[in-house]
Amino acid sequence: MRIRLTSVFVDDQAKALHFYTEILGFVKKHDVPVGETDRWLTVVSPEDPGGTELLLEPVGHPAARTYRDTLVLDGIPLAQFAVDDVNAEYERLQGLGVRFIQEPLEMGPVTTAVFDDTCGNLIQIATQPE
Amino acid sequence: MADDLFKALADPTRRTILDELTERSGQTLFEICSRLSMKHQLGISRQAVSQHLAVLEAAGLVEVRREGRYKFHDLNTAPLRQISERWPLPDPPGPEESTP
C-alpha cells in the first residue's frame, strides 16, 4: 500500500492552482473537468514529479467549511510540506506576500512555520533531519 | 483580581506558557501546544492548554486577539505590577562611587 494522493479543500480551484504553482512552486499534474464546474486538479513537487499528488479539492460541503474554519481559528495546519530550509522558504514566501501566522520556530531537531494558503487553509512547512 | 493573578502564577505549566509568550507574543493555540510538547515534552491535551489560557486570561496576563480568521494570544505583564506595589522591591544598589 502506498500514499499516492492527498488533498486539501480549497475555496476556489483557479485561485488555488495559482497559489500552489506560481507561489509555492508545485507543478500541475492532472486537470480534468468533473461535472459542471469542478475539476480533478492535482499538483506535484517538481523535485518529485512521480511522487505523491496533492488534490486541490473544491470545498463544496458546508461541514468541510466548518471543519476548516475551526482549525484555522486555533492555528492548526491541514497539511505539512517538507522543505530543505524553513527560514529560507519563509523569507522567499514572505517576499511574495504570503501571510505567516507562525514564524519559523525551532523545536529540538524540527523547525516549522505556518502560513495561509489564501484558499482557506493553514499549511505547515517543516525541516527535519532525515 | 489579585487572587486570579496568584492562582494563575501558581501552576508550572502556566508559567511555562508565559515564558514562551515572553519569547514571542501573539501565538496561536497550535503554536503554544507545539512549544509545550516539542520544547518542554509536556504531554498535555489541547483542551487542557485552553483551560490554562482561560485562567491566564482571567488574570489579565494573556489577552486574546481576533484577527480575521485567526486568534492570537498576547502577553500582558502589566498585572504583575500589583505584586511589587504590594511588596515593594528594594532599591537597586547604585554604583560604588555615588554611594554617600
Side-chain angles (χ1 to χ4, degrees):
Chain A
M1 204 177 287
R2 289 165 294 154
I3 300 175
R4 175 174 289 173
L5 182 81
T6 183
S7 67
V8 288
F9 286 115
V10 297
D11 294 331
D12 178 321
Q13 286 188 296
K15 190 177 172 190
L17 182 62
H18 171 79
F19 185 85
Y20 279 81
T21 57
E22 302 299 319
I23 307 289
L24 295 188
F26 294 130
V27 291
K28 188 164 77 173
K29 175 105 176 194
H30 291 115
D31 188 357
V32 184
V34 179
E36 297 267 305
T37 53
D38 295 347
R39 299 146 76 178
W40 179 264
L41 181 62
T42 71
V43 296
V44 289
S45 168
E47 297 163 41
D48 188 14
T52 306
E53 293 174 48
L54 180 70
L55 177 67
L56 304 174
E57 191 169 5
V59 61
H61 199 291
R65 285 185 188 279
T66 307
Y67 167 70
R68 288 190 325 166
D69 290 348
T70 309
L71 294 183
V72 167
L73 186 63
D74 283 340
I76 301 172
L78 269 171
Q80 188 197 70
F81 302 135
V83 295
D84 293 333
D85 182 344
V86 165
N87 290 296
E89 273 300 321
Y90 169 77
E91 295 296 333
R92 183 182 79 84
L93 294 174
Q94 262 225 326
L96 295 170
V98 174
R99 170 80 200 269
F100 277 80
I101 67 151
Q102 182 208 300
E103 291 168 25
L105 173 64
E106 198 179 319
M107 296 176 291
V110 186
T111 303
T112 66
V114 178
F115 63 82
D116 188 320
D117 76 351
T118 71
C119 307
N121 308 294
L122 297 178
I123 303 292
Q124 184 175 63
I125 48 175
T127 300
Q128 57 192 112
E130 292 297 320
Chain B
M1 187 63 188
D3 283 347
D4 285 344
L5 177 66
F6 295 123
K7 183 187 167 199
L9 294 172
D11 182 272
T13 300
R14 288 198 285 274
R15 293 196 296 271
T16 303
I17 292 172
L18 294 178
D19 290 340
E20 291 301 322
L21 287 173
T22 302
E23 189 178 301
R24 182 194 290 168
S25 193
Q27 295 180 31
T28 62
L29 177 60
F30 177 77
E31 180 171 354
I32 294 168
C33 291
S34 302
R35 285 168 176 258
L36 293 178
S37 65
M38 301 284 294
K39 284 180 72 179
H40 299 280
Q41 284 75 45
L42 290 172
I44 177 168
S45 70
R46 185 173 295 120
Q47 290 81 352
V49 175
S50 283
Q51 284 167 9
H52 282 310
L53 286 169
V55 174
L56 290 167
E57 198 183 346
L61 293 166
V62 165
E63 288 173 353
V64 175
R65 167 168 51 93
R66 263 305 280 270
E67 199 179 310
R69 303 177 63 221
Y70 328 112
K71 192 169 76 177
F72 297 105
H73 301 83
D74 293 325
L75 177 69
N76 178 16
T77 54
L80 297 175
R81 197 169 289 125
Q82 296 170 52
I83 297 175
S84 58
E85 282 168 0
R86 183 165 168 182
W87 298 293
L89 299 168
D91 290 330
E96 285 294 323
E97 57 272 21
S98 68
T99 307

